[in-house]
Amino acid sequence: MLPDAFHVYDTTLRDGSQQEGLNLTVADKLAVARHLDGLGVGFIEGGWPGANPRDTEFFRRARTELDLQHAQLAAFGATRRAGLKAADDPQVAALRDSGAPIVTLVAKSHDRHVELALRTTLDENLAMIRDTVSHLRAEGRRVFLDAEHFFDGFHANRAYALEVVRTAAEAGADVIALCDTNGGMLPDELADVVHEVVGTGARVGIHCHDDSGCAVANSLAAVTAGATHVQGCANGYGERSGNANLFTLVGNLQLKRGMRLVTDDQLAQMTRIAHGVAEITNVTLGSQQPYVGASAFAHKAGLHASAIKVDPNLYQHIDPAVVGNDMRMLVSSMAGRASVELKGRELGYDLSGEKAKQVVDRVKELENTGYTFEAADASFELLLREELTGVRQRHFAVESWRTIVERRADGVLVSEATVKLHAKGERIIATGEGNGPVNALDNALRVALGRLYPELARMELVDYKVRILEGTHGTGARTRVLIESSDGEREWGTVGVEDNVIAASWQALEEAVSFCLLHAGYEAG
């Protein structure tokens, strides 16, 4: 377990799961918890046992299915209800029965919320906090308290907000996390409040939402002001604009503030873990997410590339390998010779001298007609090979292709495609059906080549994007198609540009298959 001097507390499974469109099964929650434990966080908040069957089931299964190596599990819940004893409250009993060694209680610290939401008195709210904390401590649980709406409450009634902190601390709460529940605070004013609360002698934590875009900055400001417990969610998940991004917090605190929160090996897993969690939640990870996003260390401008060629640190705030990420060079019309040389080196090609200029000129010529190679590394590599060898990078010659879409009397739509190819000295005619003309062409191409190139059986189309480049031409506008393919081990992107969307799609499909075969070891020609 991590030393207790500073807490990294994850609330993805509870607060993060309140994000619109994010729905986790119990199995999902267990899988995410294992990822977070691999990062080395100190605490994982599993949910609210007793509030819903799913969270109750999570804690039941966690006892036998979660073998946490670094983190401790926390159960979240509320203080007892007004007029009851904590020992008699069913919700408090569910917290006890969860088996979690940590209980995090949410309590009102804003006087208006006490009176309007809880519909009780300010004194009774304090009694609810005191009774619940002391009861759970007597039952052998470690207790953290989330002071909800604390900063708004502090500004409305400073004395009462501070009394909530004192009451919880005196009852035995180890940490009082001050919550910017509405996410509206700014770093300087938040830091002043945290500093004052730290002066009471209580151990202070911070829980920030990102409604003003300051959740990470506010959390860092709170740590500077004396908070020793910081809460966040993987990938910034959470209600409305989300919570403080846990990965950004860990990166900043460890790499910028010099705080030893996780091991170097664990930090090097952060990018993999961020993407792994995104796969489980089925919420696409933002490419520009700090530290772990696909574009976090991607360079496009030629000026940047020239400097990076001399020293990568000139345009990077850290070595991306420290967090398990990679530097990427993006090839586009903005690229200069240095960009192309670095991208070529990344792909294993020497582009010194006039070769780089030749490729740059070709890239700029194509991008002027609508191509983009930023998301089509495979198309760029094929172009690179063709410019260097003078050989077209295809394993088959296309005689013709066609596709039809038929709407039958019963309303069913059927797409059929026919391709005529020459490969390995054979003339091949094949047909395929599919869900739309592009899928039919893809299937026909596989039927045609599958016998000669069995490796294509592993290839699948995983993403397909269409963009109209010249909107003034209506349905006849020039069209760009981007296709993402995978063989189960790697993914690659290809691009096609034509006036006809099917022709553009065929072009991208051709290149996707050719790239697959090149990397399977077949020579083009």
Side-chain angles (χ1 to χ4, degrees):
M1 300 298 178
L2 288 170
D4 200 51
F6 191 90
H7 295 170
V8 177
Y9 182 106
D10 176 83
T11 181
T12 304
L13 302 182
R14 199 272 307 173
D15 216 6
S17 67
Q18 296 184 51
Q19 176 167 314
E20 183 177 5
L22 197 161
N23 297 291
L24 298 176
T25 65
V26 174
D28 291 337
K29 288 167 70 94
L30 291 167
V32 171
R34 293 185 189 102
H35 274 303
L36 295 167
D37 185 53
L39 179 61
V41 302
F43 304 92
I44 297 172
E45 190 174 81
W48 191 327
N52 61 73
R54 181 182 55 190
D55 284 2
T56 301
E57 177 70 4
F58 168 80
F59 283 99
R60 187 190 67 78
R61 290 178 57 179
R63 296 182 186 185
T64 56
E65 297 181 37
L66 268 189
D67 182 21
L68 299 178
Q69 301 298 307
H70 308 286
Q72 296 183 71
L73 204 58
F76 181 88
T79 56
R80 68 160 173 82
R81 286 177 290 176
L84 278 181
K85 292 182 179 179
D88 299 330
D89 191 311
Q91 287 284 348
V92 177
L95 295 171
R96 290 195 311 266
D97 296 342
S98 70
I102 315 293
V103 172
T104 299
L105 295 171
V106 61
K108 301 295 185 185
S109 56
H110 190 316
D111 55 359
R112 281 178 56 79
H113 281 265
V114 173
E115 294 168 343
L116 298 179
L118 286 183
R119 297 182 181 180
T120 190
T121 66
L122 300 185
D123 286 341
E124 175 63 6
N125 182 54
L126 295 174
M128 291 157 61
I129 294 169
R130 184 182 303 108
D131 184 23
T132 312
V133 172
S134 59
H135 169 72
L136 289 169
R137 284 302 303 269
E139 292 290 320
R141 301 299 191 274
R142 189 177 187 185
V143 179
F144 300 157
L145 186 122
D146 282 358
E148 191 181 37
H149 293 282
F150 183 83
F151 296 95
D152 296 325
F154 184 92
H155 288 307
N157 187 336
R158 173 180 171 277
Y160 187 74
L162 290 174
E163 189 58 34
V164 167
V165 173
R166 291 192 188 96
T167 299
E170 289 172 0
D174 286 354
V175 175
I176 293 87
L178 312 181
C179 301
D180 183 19
T181 309
N182 290 344
M185 295 294 291
L186 298 177
D188 53 348
E189 57 191 27
L190 179 139
D192 289 341
V193 175
V194 172
H195 180 73
E196 183 168 346
V197 179
V198 169
T200 66
R203 181 170 185 178
V204 173
I206 187 68
H207 174 110
C208 291
H209 287 253
D210 203 34
D211 298 72
S212 60
C214 293
V216 169
N218 282 338
S219 299
L220 296 174
V223 172
T224 299
T228 58
H229 167 113
V230 63
Q231 299 189 7
C233 291
N235 299 323
Y237 297 149
E239 195 174 22
R240 305 185 312 277
S241 299
N243 289 49
N245 190 319
L246 185 81
F247 302 130
T248 309
L249 281 172
V250 169
N252 283 336
L253 289 171
Q254 182 138 334
L255 299 173
K256 307 298 184 179
R257 295 282 178 82
M259 299 174 68
R260 186 72 173 173
L261 303 180
V262 299
T263 69
D264 292 343
D265 288 342
Q266 289 167 338
L267 190 64
Q269 296 297 314
M270 191 162 75
T271 297
R272 179 189 64 79
I273 289 169
H275 287 259
V277 172
E279 286 297 315
I280 296 167
T281 61
N282 201 29
V283 176
T284 303
L285 189 143
S287 64
Q288 293 182 306
Q289 185 170 312
Y291 292 107
V292 299
S295 300
F297 302 95
H299 304 276
K300 180 174 178 178
L303 178 63
H304 289 203
S306 298
I308 287 170
K309 186 178 175 183
V310 177
D311 181 354
N313 292 327
L314 292 176
Y315 274 97
Q316 294 183 160
H317 67 114
I318 64 162
D319 176 0
V322 171
V323 293
N325 210 336
D326 293 309
M327 181 185 78
R328 293 192 303 122
M329 297 306 304
L330 304 179
V331 178
S332 74
S333 59
M334 293 178 63
R337 171 180 288 191
S339 294
V340 169
E341 282 187 42
L342 286 168
K343 186 63 180 179
R345 188 185 305 164
E346 182 184 312
L347 296 171
Y349 300 96
D350 179 13
L351 292 179
S352 56
E354 284 301 305
K355 294 178 182 176
K357 182 179 183 303
Q358 179 181 328
V359 175
V360 168
D361 290 345
R362 182 65 176 147
V363 167
K364 291 186 176 182
E365 176 189 338
L366 287 171
E367 292 218 338
N368 192 47
T369 65
Y371 285 80
T372 179
F373 295 99
E374 293 175 46
D377 275 3
S379 288
F380 176 72
E381 184 171 343
L382 294 175
L383 179 152
L384 196 60
R385 285 175 176 255
E386 290 177 3
E387 291 295 321
L388 295 179
T389 65
V391 176
R392 182 168 166 77
Q393 300 297 297
R394 297 291 185 274
H395 299 78
F396 53 93
V398 181
E399 182 179 315
S400 67
W401 58 264
R402 70 175 182 179
T403 181
I404 59 172
V405 180
E406 177 187 3
R407 185 181 181 89
R408 294 175 175 167
D410 59 2
V412 174
L413 287 171
V414 178
S415 294
E416 182 183 294
T418 302
V419 297
K420 298 179 182 180
L421 311 172
H422 295 265
K424 290 189 175 182
E426 298 183 29
R427 182 174 184 263
I428 306 167
I429 301 175
T431 60
E433 291 186 343
N435 181 22
V438 177
N439 184 225
L441 281 170
D442 184 27
N443 290 333
L445 190 54
R446 291 166 186 275
V447 171
L449 298 174
R451 177 175 55 83
L452 301 178
Y453 301 110
E455 289 81 2
L456 290 177
R458 300 199 310 269
M459 177 184 148
E460 63 175 339
L461 188 153
V462 296
D463 199 7
Y464 175 83
K465 297 185 179 75
V466 177
R467 182 173 178 184
I468 304 301
L469 302 176
E470 298 174 15
T472 56
H473 291 77
T475 55
R478 196 159 177 78
T479 304
R480 178 167 67 221
V481 169
L482 287 167
I483 285 178
E484 192 79 15
S485 304
S486 173
D487 60 5
E489 295 180 2
R490 63 181 297 173
E491 293 188 358
W492 61 92
T494 51
V495 61
V497 176
E498 289 282 355
D499 292 340
N500 181 292
V501 65
I502 307 301
S505 302
W506 172 261
Q507 190 182 116
L509 281 172
E510 262 197 82
E511 297 204 346
V513 169
S514 297
F515 184 85
C516 178
L517 296 178
L518 277 172
H519 282 266
Y522 294 100
E523 289 294 325

